[in-house]
Amino acid sequence: MADNLLEIRDLAVEFGTDIGTTHALREVSFDVLRGKVTAIVGESGSGKSVTANCIMRLIQPPGRITGGKIHFSPNDAPAYDIAALPNKDPRLLDLRGGSVSMVFQEPMTALSPVYTVGNQVAEAILCHRNVSKEEAFEEAADMLRRVGIDNVDRRIQQYPFEFSGGMRQRVVIAMALVCHPQLLICDEPTTALDVTIQAEILTLIRDLQKDLKNSVLFITHDLGVVAQMADQVVVMYQGRVLEVGSVRQVLKTPVHPYTRGLLAAIPGLATKGARLATIASVVGDADLTTPHPLMTLADGRQVSLSSAQLADLELTDD
Amino acid sequence: MRAYVIKRVFGMIPTLILISGLIFIVIQLPPGDIVTSTLDRMQSQGLEVSTEAVANLRAQYNLDQPLLIQYVRWIGGFLVGDMGYSYLFTRPVSELVWERLGYTLMITVSSLIFTWAIAIPAGIYSAVRQYSFGDYLITTIMLVGLATPSFLLALMAMYAGYEFFGISIGGLFSPEYRDAPWSFGRLLDFLSHLWIPMVVLGLGGTASTMRILRANLLDELSKPYVVTARAKGVKPMKLLFKYPLRIAINPFISTIGLLMPALISGEAIVSIVLGLPTIGPALIQALIAQDMYLAGSFLMLLAVLTVLGMLLSDLLLAWADPRIRYE
Ligand SMILES: Nc1ncnc2c1ncn2[C@@H]1O[C@H](COP(=O)(O)OP(=O)(O)O)[C@@H](O)[C@H]1O
Ligand SMILES: [Mg+2]
């Protein structure tokens, strides 16, 4: 079994709009490690959600995958390229909610208001396994208990609007995990929640990952959350990958000027009372718009820099 | 839920009392009454009318009583099924009303089914395949349909029926069945006449229904809960029906109650063109002739049907949407 559950290579996505084509992703390459938490971090609009949606093939017109591979090596089946699956391929329905599932940013709107929570969680099981409705509801109830919902027998009959935001996100997490996916994608799962509840949900995701030993692709714009959650980090900016490495590498000794900028802008790490650095002030006149290929450094991390910057790097390294 | 139903049912009573009062006032508004229009008619024919006869006539129609008494008598009779006497048709109003109401309901319901049978699939297709050739084609046809007045459509249908099928389209029955008692043959004859008003009236609402459904569905299709369901692996057809469509039809449920008055006013002109024995033409005649009992009864029945329709749509909506049920 390969170490990497997913190997994404040169992924490109375009959106055709009235005013022209937006290149939402260009040459995106990174791996999702089996049984580990990989984080994608980047500012809003950097292409994090589009990347996640590509993995589940949820990109809808006018968006289109225009190039690249998403090489998926499931634990129990031959590997295949998700990006190349035809729209009618049965593996696609299998993949969605079966071997890969997703937790979305907005728990308030991620569930249909007209079906009970039980119905929507059990549906995930009924879509993928040949079990009776009763069994599906049993399992749904078990999973709801596991994500920390009390009074499950009563709650399972209730509608989403009878749940608070944090509770709804727990329901969505239960729905995503109920088929024991190999990869759980969390797209900013706590951004829409109160700060106190954010921590609870993060702990829950981390604990469940340790229990179920699934891989997690965790999307966030918050480096503090990355430090808490991730094993591996992918830094994205304007539809490109700028830096990939272990949490220690990326957070302790960032190489790319943009990553340094991100880190400098975190309140906790700056000197008390001092003005926060803006990303622009740290990045300085470093050119972020000209693309450079990802180069692998000696310590295994990958970074997208010009040859001049790379040369500088080797000098300062010594 | 039960409390909600009880609240809604009892809430109808004051509404209906208010409407009946308004209808009574509106009917009284034009100068003159049945007696003066009868007098006009008789005098124009050169007949002498004694003041005594006039007074008798007034008494017969309760016109010599104060307005409030007239109202109470009218509405009281209404409650026990006595709707007064139509001077225009020289028959008890109740006989006239039930017969015409029956035909009206049949035509209304069948044209509604026709509308939905066309508009819903077309709307779904147009939304799911937004900006496709099919979407533009459907939209174009629908806009032509929307711009064609229904009486013109009725005339065209009559012409086509006569020219190509050799049948005269007017009315709901062929002459030999018009006054016959109900039989299988009469039913077939009725159905063979029903489709023209059904299509003519149904097409009018098809375009707008389809456009509304298309817009609603497009709104819902981009909602996060649809993406969640897709990400869960729900098959595309099931996904469409269970998630976005289920919510996109709610606004239709809430307009069921308004369909009745809309269709009746749309129906009047078409019915005059097609010579149908429905409420619309009779209501217009009654209003022109100031046949107060007849006009009042029609209006009151329409009001009752509308209020019942609103009740029905509210209850359906509460059944369909838990957010309303639990308020
Ligand atoms: N539905 C869409 N239509 C057009 N462009 C889109 C659409 N979705 C995403 N994009 C483009 O992709 C870019 C990245 O979006 P996204 O992945 O959602 O960013 P984020 O990193 O905040 O999740 C956006 O800046 C936008 O240009
Ligand atoms: Mg996003």
Side-chain angles (χ1 to χ4, degrees):
Chain A
M1 205 159 46
D3 282 347
N4 297 330
L5 186 66
L6 279 182
E7 289 177 4
I8 299 176
R9 292 293 174 270
D10 298 325
L11 188 63
V13 171
E14 290 175 8
F15 283 88
T17 60
D18 292 340
I19 47 164
T21 310
T22 317
H23 296 267
L25 297 185
R26 295 184 217 227
E27 294 165 41
V28 167
S29 302
F30 65 91
D31 299 333
V32 174
L33 311 184
R34 199 181 295 276
K36 298 265 172 64
V37 178
T38 306
I40 303 183
V41 64
E43 61 196 59
S44 154
S46 55
K48 306 182 296 291
S49 298
V50 170
T51 307
N53 287 334
C54 283
I55 297 171
M56 298 190 79
R57 284 289 294 277
L58 291 174
I59 300 286
Q60 296 277 313
R64 203 160 60 86
I65 298 182
T66 51
K69 287 196 178 68
I70 304 174
H71 191 78
F72 179 46
S73 316
N75 299 339
D76 44 11
Y80 58 91
D81 177 10
I82 294 174
L85 281 186
N87 278 329
K88 295 230 169 333
D89 197 300
R91 279 177 289 183
L92 210 53
L93 287 179
D94 234 36
L95 177 89
R96 291 181 185 150
S99 34
V100 181
S101 60
M102 180 125 90
V103 174
F104 297 89
Q105 181 171 345
E106 281 292 339
M108 300 315 268
T109 50
L111 294 164
S112 168
V114 296
Y115 299 104
T116 60
V117 158
N119 177 323
Q120 297 186 62
V121 177
E123 185 181 36
I125 303 173
L126 292 167
C127 280
H128 295 282
R129 290 184 8 231
N130 206 356
V131 296
S132 71
K133 244 192 168 136
E134 288 72 37
E135 287 173 89
F137 270 81
E138 284 287 291
E139 282 190 43
D142 286 344
M143 190 47 84
L144 285 168
R145 260 175 224 119
R146 204 156 168 187
V147 298
I149 292 194
D150 298 329
N151 267 327
V152 166
D153 293 334
R154 189 171 60 85
R155 296 293 256 168
I156 202 167
Q157 316 261 16
Q158 292 186 331
Y159 292 89
F161 58 85
E162 299 173 76
F163 287 67
S164 66
M167 282 297 150
R168 272 192 225 190
Q169 198 61 304
R170 285 175 195 263
V171 170
V172 174
I173 291 170
M175 196 165 84
L177 289 176
V178 80
C179 287
H180 301 288
Q182 298 171 37
L183 175 62
L184 176 70
I185 303 175
C186 301
D187 188 355
E188 309 210 28
T190 58
T191 306
L193 300 177
D194 291 348
V195 183
T196 46
I197 296 163
Q198 282 184 14
E200 286 174 29
I201 296 288
L202 291 177
T203 315
L204 177 70
I205 293 173
R206 187 81 234 205
D207 290 351
L208 285 168
Q209 190 269 335
K210 288 207 173 105
D211 270 12
L212 301 170
K213 310 217 169 359
N214 55 322
S215 317
V216 171
L217 181 61
F218 194 96
I219 294 174
T220 178
H221 59 259
D222 183 343
L223 279 171
V225 173
V226 172
Q228 188 186 342
M229 300 293 293
D231 301 304
Q232 186 82 359
V233 188
V234 178
V235 180
M236 286 187 74
Y237 177 75
Q238 292 199 347
R240 300 177 174 281
V241 174
L242 296 188
E243 185 160 5
V244 183
S246 69
V247 170
R248 176 171 287 274
Q249 288 170 334
V250 174
L251 296 190
K252 283 266 160 64
T253 54
V255 171
H256 201 285
Y258 177 76
T259 316
R260 289 195 199 137
L262 275 183
L263 280 163
I266 298 179
L269 300 182
T271 329
K272 271 221 174 80
R275 252 173 188 281
L276 277 182
T278 60
I279 292 177
S281 69
V282 177
V283 172
D285 55 1
D287 179 12
L288 291 177
T289 48
T290 316
H292 305 289
L294 272 180
M295 302 294 287
T296 307
L297 304 186
D299 58 0
R301 78 169 94 187
Q302 293 172 297
V303 56
S304 151
L305 288 174
S306 68
S307 34
Q309 287 170 311
L310 278 172
D312 276 356
L313 215 67
E314 323 248 286
L315 288 179
T316 47
D317 261 7
D318 295 332
Chain B
M1 184 70 182
R2 182 182 299 167
Y4 178 76
V5 175
I6 292 172
K7 199 177 87 189
R8 279 297 283 108
V9 170
F10 282 94
M12 284 165 47
I13 295 172
T15 314
L16 283 173
I17 292 176
L18 198 69
I19 292 176
S20 67
L22 279 176
I23 288 175
F24 188 78
I25 292 169
V26 167
I27 292 170
Q28 299 288 341
L29 273 184
D33 52 37
I34 296 180
V35 175
T36 46
S37 54
T38 315
L39 281 179
D40 282 352
R41 203 173 44 123
M42 290 169 110
Q43 277 162 353
S44 70
Q45 289 165 353
L47 295 172
E48 285 285 324
V49 188
S50 67
T51 36
E52 243 165 84
V54 172
N56 275 343
L57 222 51
R58 285 231 140 84
Q60 190 189 329
Y61 289 112
N62 290 324
L63 292 176
D64 51 351
Q65 312 263 350
L67 276 183
L68 192 64
I69 303 282
Q70 287 188 42
Y71 168 74
V72 171
R73 276 176 183 250
W74 173 63
I75 204 71
F78 206 93
L79 287 178
V80 295
D82 170 17
M83 304 181 189
Y85 190 81
S86 165
Y87 130 86
L88 188 63
F89 291 87
T90 57
R91 282 169 70 190
V93 169
S94 52
E95 279 178 26
L96 269 165
V97 160
W98 292 127
E99 183 187 287
R100 287 188 174 250
L101 188 68
Y103 290 132
T104 306
L105 279 178
M106 270 187 263
I107 291 175
T108 309
V109 169
S110 58
S111 63
L112 188 63
I113 292 173
F114 177 84
T115 299
W116 285 358
I118 296 197
I120 292 181
I124 295 175
Y125 179 89
S126 263
V128 174
R129 299 250 183 284
Q130 192 190 10
Y131 302 139
S132 68
F133 175 74
D135 177 25
Y136 286 121
L137 187 70
I138 290 173
T139 303
T140 310
I141 295 174
M142 291 291 170
L143 285 179
V144 172
L146 192 65
T148 312
S150 51
F151 69 85
L152 186 64
L153 214 56
L155 285 173
M156 281 164 25
M158 281 178 86
Y159 173 77
Y162 186 73
E163 194 67 19
F164 302 117
F165 304 106
I167 45 170
S168 85
I169 302 296
L172 280 177
F173 296 100
S174 309
E176 65 267 31
Y177 283 113
R178 188 153 297 150
D179 295 312
W182 277 104
S183 63
F184 187 63
R186 192 173 192 246
L187 182 68
L188 284 185
D189 184 61
F190 172 68
L191 291 179
S192 74
H193 282 79
L194 179 64
W195 71 269
I196 299 252
M198 176 181 94
V199 172
V200 168
L201 286 170
L203 277 182
T206 305
S208 55
T209 307
M210 176 257 161
R211 295 299 294 176
I212 295 169
L213 179 62
R214 179 178 182 274
N216 288 349
L217 193 52
L218 280 175
D219 261 6
E220 294 303 323
L221 276 171
S222 60
K223 294 262 171 83
Y225 71 85
V226 179
V227 184
T228 313
R230 190 177 294 125
K232 201 156 65 170
V234 184
K235 294 203 179 69
M237 266 299 166
K238 180 171 183 206
L239 179 90
L240 177 67
F241 280 83
K242 180 172 175 180
Y243 288 94
L245 192 60
R246 176 68 173 62
I247 291 185
I249 58 167
N250 278 354
F252 287 98
I253 299 180
S254 60
T255 57
I256 288 177
L258 296 172
L259 286 171
M260 200 60 196
L263 274 165
I264 300 275
S265 41
E267 169 253 0
I269 290 177
V270 171
S271 294
I272 291 171
V273 173
L274 292 175
L276 304 179
T278 53
I279 287 183
L283 178 58
I284 293 178
Q285 275 179 290
L287 287 170
I288 292 173
Q290 293 191 29
D291 191 347
M292 158 199 165
Y293 285 115
L294 187 58
S297 303
F298 276 141
L299 291 177
M300 194 58 210
L301 275 180
L302 284 184
V304 171
L305 281 176
T306 306
V307 172
L308 281 178
M310 299 293 266
L311 174 72
L312 181 71
S313 41
D314 281 0
L315 295 184
L316 279 175
L317 207 56
W319 171 75
D321 192 337
R323 285 170 297 184
I324 296 173
R325 188 154 77 228
Y326 281 71
E327 247 169 26

